[in-house]
Amino acid sequence: MSVTAIPTLASQHDHEGAPRTTSPATPSATKALQILEAFLGAGPKLGVSEIARTAGLPKSTAFRLLRHLEQSGYVERTGRHYVLGRRLFELGNAVQICRPQGIRETAMPHLAELYVATGKTVHLAILEGTDIVFLEKIAGRGGIQPDTYVGGRAPAACSALGKAILSFSDRDHIAAVLESGLVRRTRHSHADPAKFLAELRRANSERIAFDREEAQVGIVCAAVPIMIEGRAIAAVSVSGSATGFNAASITRHLRRAAAAISDEVVSSAA
């Protein structure tokens, strides 16, 4: 359904950053997963107390589960802190999008060409819920670097990648983004749903979306959706310093890369 049909939603809800709470009846497997999720966005090394607080678990329970996770290779201990284990790296790269013939591998040669052509940071991302998830990143040469990493998330509403995909998403998905609240990462981020929807309509018409310092001050970004049968399955972007960002040249290279990735995905599925 076209984004032109999306109404402006009056009410929005802020994202809550409070630690979760867990009842005694919560299965141990769920508690273990909550411990692993405590590392998301919290830094590479965490102590038991911080893990327990973030996961909403008693410290004794967190310590017991960490011991089991360490024995299985899912976490590793470094002094008095814990880090995610290499076993998770193996599992993460077994996800379908990372395996041979997955979109990450298919896109990689074209991402490399895009980096060579522009010299700027290149990303590949998918939409998951109201966030984008970065599947690949090639860091640009010099200048301010985007604060992103492979496997990381960012609010879709204030990223060019998210807007590129959302501009070809259905009514319910866009409504969910608005209902979750337009997160303001910087003073340039959109807070007005009407203006945000207008930008999605423009991205849908032009097949390119922009982030003008909305996710990170000093960084601008352009993104083009990767289209399969009229649906955006992912997006590719180029990011760089706000000064010296040649939008016309970058748009040309982006469209070429997105079209090539789309053609290969279709060919491999045939």
Side-chain angles (χ1 to χ4, degrees):
M1 184 175 293
S2 170
V3 296
T4 57
I6 305 298
T8 297
L9 302 185
S11 62
Q12 299 180 48
H13 304 283
D14 292 333
H15 292 280
E16 297 294 337
R20 73 186 77 195
T21 56
T22 304
S23 73
T26 303
S28 293
T30 301
K31 294 175 183 176
L33 290 173
Q34 289 174 193
I35 284 177
L36 295 177
E37 289 180 353
F39 288 88
L40 290 174
K45 296 195 297 184
L46 297 175
V48 176
S49 297
E50 188 175 0
I51 292 170
R53 182 172 61 255
T54 304
L57 296 169
K59 187 174 178 179
S60 59
T61 301
F63 186 79
R64 175 175 56 81
L65 291 172
L66 281 165
R67 187 169 65 248
H68 291 304
L69 290 169
E70 183 183 4
Q71 291 170 351
S72 302
Y74 294 106
V75 299
E76 298 172 8
R77 188 159 46 180
T78 168
R80 300 177 65 179
H81 294 82
Y82 288 87
V83 298
L84 293 175
R86 282 166 283 189
R87 181 62 173 161
L88 287 174
F89 177 79
E90 296 177 44
L91 286 175
N93 281 279
V95 174
Q96 182 59 40
I97 54 177
C98 297
R99 294 180 67 83
Q101 304 305 312
I103 189 170
R104 183 179 175 188
E105 180 181 83
T106 300
M108 195 60 205
H110 305 289
L111 301 182
E113 289 178 4
L114 192 55
Y115 166 74
V116 170
T118 64
K120 299 186 182 300
T121 299
V122 174
H123 288 106
L124 173 71
I126 57 172
L127 184 67
E128 186 171 290
T130 60
D131 294 334
I132 55 166
V133 178
F134 297 101
L135 301 186
E136 192 55 84
K137 173 183 180 179
I138 304 176
R141 298 188 290 266
I144 305 173
Q145 293 297 321
D147 185 18
T148 56
Y149 61 93
V150 175
R153 287 175 174 263
C158 57
S159 73
L161 288 156
K163 287 184 282 188
I165 302 173
L166 283 170
S167 68
F168 287 91
S169 296
D170 60 34
R171 178 190 184 104
D172 291 342
H173 210 141
I174 298 172
V177 170
L178 291 174
E179 289 173 348
S180 70
L182 296 178
V183 179
R184 299 204 68 177
R185 296 279 293 269
T186 76
R187 66 182 183 276
H188 303 287
S189 303
H190 288 292
D192 183 346
K195 291 181 179 179
F196 175 69
L197 291 173
E199 189 163 357
L200 291 189
R201 295 186 189 102
R202 186 162 51 251
N204 178 278
S205 173
E206 299 175 359
R207 292 210 175 192
I208 187 165
F210 292 93
D211 150 22
R212 297 176 175 87
E213 300 185 74
E214 297 164 47
Q216 185 177 342
V217 173
I219 295 287
V220 295
C221 180
V224 171
I226 297 170
M227 305 295 298
I228 303 295
E229 297 180 349
R231 182 173 62 93
I233 63 167
V236 59
S237 74
V238 170
S239 303
S241 299
T243 56
F245 192 86
N246 188 328
S249 175
I250 285 170
T251 295
R252 184 172 66 254
H253 292 302
L254 268 172
R255 285 180 170 149
R256 185 182 302 124
I261 295 168
S262 176
D263 289 345
E264 283 203 33
V265 171
V266 171
S267 296
S268 63

mmCIF file with all atom_site columns, all heavy atoms in Angstrom, residues 21-35:
data_model
loop_
_atom_site.group_PDB
_atom_site.id
_atom_site.type_symbol
_atom_site.label_atom_id
_atom_site.label_alt_id
_atom_site.label_comp_id
_atom_site.label_asym_id
_atom_site.label_entity_id
_atom_site.label_seq_id
_atom_site.pdbx_PDB_ins_code
_atom_site.Cartn_x
_atom_site.Cartn_y
_atom_site.Cartn_z
_atom_site.occupancy
_atom_site.B_iso_or_equiv
_atom_site.pdbx_formal_charge
_atom_site.auth_seq_id
_atom_site.auth_comp_id
_atom_site.auth_asym_id
_atom_site.auth_atom_id
_atom_site.pdbx_PDB_model_num
ATOM 1   N N   . THR A 1 21 ? 12.020 -6.737  34.151 1.00 0.00 ? 21 THR A N   1
ATOM 2   C CA  . THR A 1 21 ? 11.870 -7.508  35.386 1.00 0.00 ? 21 THR A CA  1
ATOM 3   C C   . THR A 1 21 ? 11.497 -8.928  35.017 1.00 0.00 ? 21 THR A C   1
ATOM 4   O O   . THR A 1 21 ? 10.788 -9.166  34.035 1.00 0.00 ? 21 THR A O   1
ATOM 5   C CB  . THR A 1 21 ? 10.791 -6.907  36.293 1.00 0.00 ? 21 THR A CB  1
ATOM 6   O OG1 . THR A 1 21 ? 9.559  -6.822  35.558 1.00 0.00 ? 21 THR A OG1 1
ATOM 7   C CG2 . THR A 1 21 ? 11.195 -5.518  36.759 1.00 0.00 ? 21 THR A CG2 1
ATOM 8   N N   . THR A 1 22 ? 11.957 -9.882  35.786 1.00 0.00 ? 22 THR A N   1
ATOM 9   C CA  . THR A 1 22 ? 11.726 -11.291 35.516 1.00 0.00 ? 22 THR A CA  1
ATOM 10  C C   . THR A 1 22 ? 11.099 -11.936 36.737 1.00 0.00 ? 22 THR A C   1
ATOM 11  O O   . THR A 1 22 ? 11.574 -11.755 37.857 1.00 0.00 ? 22 THR A O   1
ATOM 12  C CB  . THR A 1 22 ? 13.054 -11.997 35.178 1.00 0.00 ? 22 THR A CB  1
ATOM 13  O OG1 . THR A 1 22 ? 13.665 -11.329 34.074 1.00 0.00 ? 22 THR A OG1 1
ATOM 14  C CG2 . THR A 1 22 ? 12.820 -13.452 34.821 1.00 0.00 ? 22 THR A CG2 1
ATOM 15  N N   . SER A 1 23 ? 10.034 -12.707 36.513 1.00 0.00 ? 23 SER A N   1
ATOM 16  C CA  . SER A 1 23 ? 9.376  -13.388 37.628 1.00 0.00 ? 23 SER A CA  1
ATOM 17  C C   . SER A 1 23 ? 10.108 -14.687 37.927 1.00 0.00 ? 23 SER A C   1
ATOM 18  O O   . SER A 1 23 ? 10.829 -15.231 37.070 1.00 0.00 ? 23 SER A O   1
ATOM 19  C CB  . SER A 1 23 ? 7.921  -13.695 37.274 1.00 0.00 ? 23 SER A CB  1
ATOM 20  O OG  . SER A 1 23 ? 7.850  -14.750 36.335 1.00 0.00 ? 23 SER A OG  1
ATOM 21  N N   . PRO A 1 24 ? 9.928  -15.221 39.134 1.00 0.00 ? 24 PRO A N   1
ATOM 22  C CA  . PRO A 1 24 ? 10.593 -16.490 39.480 1.00 0.00 ? 24 PRO A CA  1
ATOM 23  C C   . PRO A 1 24 ? 10.201 -17.636 38.560 1.00 0.00 ? 24 PRO A C   1
ATOM 24  O O   . PRO A 1 24 ? 10.953 -18.592 38.405 1.00 0.00 ? 24 PRO A O   1
ATOM 25  C CB  . PRO A 1 24 ? 10.109 -16.733 40.920 1.00 0.00 ? 24 PRO A CB  1
ATOM 26  C CG  . PRO A 1 24 ? 9.758  -15.384 41.441 1.00 0.00 ? 24 PRO A CG  1
ATOM 27  C CD  . PRO A 1 24 ? 9.206  -14.633 40.265 1.00 0.00 ? 24 PRO A CD  1
ATOM 28  N N   . ALA A 1 25 ? 9.003  -17.523 37.919 1.00 0.00 ? 25 ALA A N   1
ATOM 29  C CA  . ALA A 1 25 ? 8.526  -18.618 37.072 1.00 0.00 ? 25 ALA A CA  1
ATOM 30  C C   . ALA A 1 25 ? 9.095  -18.567 35.656 1.00 0.00 ? 25 ALA A C   1
ATOM 31  O O   . ALA A 1 25 ? 8.845  -19.460 34.859 1.00 0.00 ? 25 ALA A O   1
ATOM 32  C CB  . ALA A 1 25 ? 7.000  -18.589 37.000 1.00 0.00 ? 25 ALA A CB  1
ATOM 33  N N   . THR A 1 26 ? 9.856  -17.535 35.326 1.00 0.00 ? 26 THR A N   1
ATOM 34  C CA  . THR A 1 26 ? 10.426 -17.418 33.992 1.00 0.00 ? 26 THR A CA  1
ATOM 35  C C   . THR A 1 26 ? 11.384 -18.580 33.726 1.00 0.00 ? 26 THR A C   1
ATOM 36  O O   . THR A 1 26 ? 12.240 -18.877 34.555 1.00 0.00 ? 26 THR A O   1
ATOM 37  C CB  . THR A 1 26 ? 11.193 -16.093 33.836 1.00 0.00 ? 26 THR A CB  1
ATOM 38  O OG1 . THR A 1 26 ? 10.300 -15.011 34.122 1.00 0.00 ? 26 THR A OG1 1
ATOM 39  C CG2 . THR A 1 26 ? 11.725 -15.935 32.421 1.00 0.00 ? 26 THR A CG2 1
ATOM 40  N N   . PRO A 1 27 ? 11.239 -19.275 32.577 1.00 0.00 ? 27 PRO A N   1
ATOM 41  C CA  . PRO A 1 27 ? 12.123 -20.419 32.295 1.00 0.00 ? 27 PRO A CA  1
ATOM 42  C C   . PRO A 1 27 ? 13.594 -20.013 32.289 1.00 0.00 ? 27 PRO A C   1
ATOM 43  O O   . PRO A 1 27 ? 13.945 -18.890 31.910 1.00 0.00 ? 27 PRO A O   1
ATOM 44  C CB  . PRO A 1 27 ? 11.672 -20.863 30.895 1.00 0.00 ? 27 PRO A CB  1
ATOM 45  C CG  . PRO A 1 27 ? 10.272 -20.355 30.757 1.00 0.00 ? 27 PRO A CG  1
ATOM 46  C CD  . PRO A 1 27 ? 10.226 -19.084 31.532 1.00 0.00 ? 27 PRO A CD  1
ATOM 47  N N   . SER A 1 28 ? 14.454 -20.948 32.683 1.00 0.00 ? 28 SER A N   1
ATOM 48  C CA  . SER A 1 28 ? 15.892 -20.667 32.743 1.00 0.00 ? 28 SER A CA  1
ATOM 49  C C   . SER A 1 28 ? 16.455 -20.287 31.376 1.00 0.00 ? 28 SER A C   1
ATOM 50  O O   . SER A 1 28 ? 17.351 -19.446 31.275 1.00 0.00 ? 28 SER A O   1
ATOM 51  C CB  . SER A 1 28 ? 16.637 -21.879 33.300 1.00 0.00 ? 28 SER A CB  1
ATOM 52  O OG  . SER A 1 28 ? 16.298 -22.093 34.653 1.00 0.00 ? 28 SER A OG  1
ATOM 53  N N   . ALA A 1 29 ? 15.923 -20.924 30.313 1.00 0.00 ? 29 ALA A N   1
ATOM 54  C CA  . ALA A 1 29 ? 16.413 -20.601 28.965 1.00 0.00 ? 29 ALA A CA  1
ATOM 55  C C   . ALA A 1 29 ? 16.144 -19.144 28.631 1.00 0.00 ? 29 ALA A C   1
ATOM 56  O O   . ALA A 1 29 ? 16.988 -18.458 28.033 1.00 0.00 ? 29 ALA A O   1
ATOM 57  C CB  . ALA A 1 29 ? 15.747 -21.510 27.937 1.00 0.00 ? 29 ALA A CB  1
ATOM 58  N N   . THR A 1 30 ? 14.979 -18.645 29.023 1.00 0.00 ? 30 THR A N   1
ATOM 59  C CA  . THR A 1 30 ? 14.640 -17.246 28.782 1.00 0.00 ? 30 THR A CA  1
ATOM 60  C C   . THR A 1 30 ? 15.563 -16.331 29.574 1.00 0.00 ? 30 THR A C   1
ATOM 61  O O   . THR A 1 30 ? 16.035 -15.299 29.076 1.00 0.00 ? 30 THR A O   1
ATOM 62  C CB  . THR A 1 30 ? 13.176 -16.969 29.163 1.00 0.00 ? 30 THR A CB  1
ATOM 63  O OG1 . THR A 1 30 ? 12.325 -17.812 28.376 1.00 0.00 ? 30 THR A OG1 1
ATOM 64  C CG2 . THR A 1 30 ? 12.807 -15.510 28.925 1.00 0.00 ? 30 THR A CG2 1
ATOM 65  N N   . LYS A 1 31 ? 15.841 -16.704 30.810 1.00 0.00 ? 31 LYS A N   1
ATOM 66  C CA  . LYS A 1 31 ? 16.727 -15.890 31.645 1.00 0.00 ? 31 LYS A CA  1
ATOM 67  C C   . LYS A 1 31 ? 18.133 -15.846 31.047 1.00 0.00 ? 31 LYS A C   1
ATOM 68  O O   . LYS A 1 31 ? 18.796 -14.804 31.062 1.00 0.00 ? 31 LYS A O   1
ATOM 69  C CB  . LYS A 1 31 ? 16.782 -16.453 33.057 1.00 0.00 ? 31 LYS A CB  1
ATOM 70  C CG  . LYS A 1 31 ? 15.459 -16.361 33.817 1.00 0.00 ? 31 LYS A CG  1
ATOM 71  C CD  . LYS A 1 31 ? 15.557 -17.043 35.179 1.00 0.00 ? 31 LYS A CD  1
ATOM 72  C CE  . LYS A 1 31 ? 14.224 -17.013 35.907 1.00 0.00 ? 31 LYS A CE  1
ATOM 73  N NZ  . LYS A 1 31 ? 14.268 -17.747 37.189 1.00 0.00 ? 31 LYS A NZ  1
ATOM 74  N N   . ALA A 1 32 ? 18.584 -16.987 30.509 1.00 0.00 ? 32 ALA A N   1
ATOM 75  C CA  . ALA A 1 32 ? 19.911 -17.026 29.896 1.00 0.00 ? 32 ALA A CA  1
ATOM 76  C C   . ALA A 1 32 ? 19.967 -16.108 28.670 1.00 0.00 ? 32 ALA A C   1
ATOM 77  O O   . ALA A 1 32 ? 20.962 -15.409 28.445 1.00 0.00 ? 32 ALA A O   1
ATOM 78  C CB  . ALA A 1 32 ? 20.270 -18.459 29.507 1.00 0.00 ? 32 ALA A CB  1
ATOM 79  N N   . LEU A 1 33 ? 18.886 -16.106 27.886 1.00 0.00 ? 33 LEU A N   1
ATOM 80  C CA  . LEU A 1 33 ? 18.845 -15.227 26.717 1.00 0.00 ? 33 LEU A CA  1
ATOM 81  C C   . LEU A 1 33 ? 18.830 -13.762 27.140 1.00 0.00 ? 33 LEU A C   1
ATOM 82  O O   . LEU A 1 33 ? 19.444 -12.909 26.491 1.00 0.00 ? 33 LEU A O   1
ATOM 83  C CB  . LEU A 1 33 ? 17.607 -15.544 25.868 1.00 0.00 ? 33 LEU A CB  1
ATOM 84  C CG  . LEU A 1 33 ? 17.645 -16.895 25.135 1.00 0.00 ? 33 LEU A CG  1
ATOM 85  C CD1 . LEU A 1 33 ? 16.295 -17.176 24.481 1.00 0.00 ? 33 LEU A CD1 1
ATOM 86  C CD2 . LEU A 1 33 ? 18.755 -16.920 24.099 1.00 0.00 ? 33 LEU A CD2 1
ATOM 87  N N   . GLN A 1 34 ? 18.149 -13.457 28.241 1.00 0.00 ? 34 GLN A N   1
ATOM 88  C CA  . GLN A 1 34 ? 18.134 -12.085 28.741 1.00 0.00 ? 34 GLN A CA  1
ATOM 89  C C   . GLN A 1 34 ? 19.526 -11.650 29.179 1.00 0.00 ? 34 GLN A C   1
ATOM 90  O O   . GLN A 1 34 ? 19.898 -10.485 29.033 1.00 0.00 ? 34 GLN A O   1
ATOM 91  C CB  . GLN A 1 34 ? 17.140 -11.967 29.906 1.00 0.00 ? 34 GLN A CB  1
ATOM 92  C CG  . GLN A 1 34 ? 15.694 -12.072 29.449 1.00 0.00 ? 34 GLN A CG  1
ATOM 93  C CD  . GLN A 1 34 ? 14.704 -12.097 30.595 1.00 0.00 ? 34 GLN A CD  1
ATOM 94  O OE1 . GLN A 1 34 ? 13.530 -12.408 30.407 1.00 0.00 ? 34 GLN A OE1 1
ATOM 95  N NE2 . GLN A 1 34 ? 15.153 -11.768 31.788 1.00 0.00 ? 34 GLN A NE2 1
ATOM 96  N N   . ILE A 1 35 ? 20.298 -12.579 29.708 1.00 0.00 ? 35 ILE A N   1
ATOM 97  C CA  . ILE A 1 35 ? 21.676 -12.258 30.078 1.00 0.00 ? 35 ILE A CA  1
ATOM 98  C C   . ILE A 1 35 ? 22.485 -11.909 28.830 1.00 0.00 ? 35 ILE A C   1
ATOM 99  O O   . ILE A 1 35 ? 23.233 -10.926 28.808 1.00 0.00 ? 35 ILE A O   1
ATOM 100 C CB  . ILE A 1 35 ? 22.311 -13.433 30.837 1.00 0.00 ? 35 ILE A CB  1
ATOM 101 C CG1 . ILE A 1 35 ? 21.773 -13.478 32.275 1.00 0.00 ? 35 ILE A CG1 1
ATOM 102 C CG2 . ILE A 1 35 ? 23.843 -13.339 30.839 1.00 0.00 ? 35 ILE A CG2 1
ATOM 103 C CD1 . ILE A 1 35 ? 22.268 -14.638 33.090 1.00 0.00 ? 35 ILE A CD1 1
#
